Amino acid sequence: MTQNDPTNVFAAFEMLLEEIEVEIDFINQAGSKAFQRSDYASVEQHRQRASQATELRDKLVGLRKEWDRLMVAHTEKVEHE
């Protein structure tokens, strides 16, 4: 059973961000290897994939910030009741 704890959500964001960073690193390494082989079509595919993953990471960072603001507002509201 899952507890109702906002820090669980924050931890989930952190885990997801870490995994996305690992994937971005993997994509970058694969793109580097493709570049060394002069496989420019593959380089472009990896570049596009890395760009998409980076955009997704940035959106997730924004969602994590939004969650933080939501929890601060909720905590302040509860403290004033």
Side-chain angles (χ1 to χ4, degrees), residues 4 19 23 25 31 33-35 37-38 41-42 44 49-50 53 56 67 70-71 74 80:
N4 184 15
E19 291 302 317
E23 184 64 21
D25 287 342
K33 289 176 183 176
F35 188 80
R37 294 189 315 269
S38 299
S42 184
E44 179 58 22
R49 188 162 180 231
L56 181 60
W67 176 256
L70 179 66
M71 288 300 96
H74 176 72
H80 288 95

Side-chain angles (χ1 to χ4, degrees), residues 20-32 42-58:
I20 290 173
E21 286 297 335
V22 168
E23 184 64 21
I24 290 170
D25 287 342
F26 176 79
I27 296 166
N28 286 337
Q29 290 174 11
S32 178
S42 184
V43 169
E44 179 58 22
Q45 289 174 344
H46 286 93
R47 187 201 63 75
Q48 289 177 0
R49 188 162 180 231
S51 178
Q52 291 170 337
T54 300
E55 287 178 24
L56 181 60
R57 180 203 56 209
D58 294 345

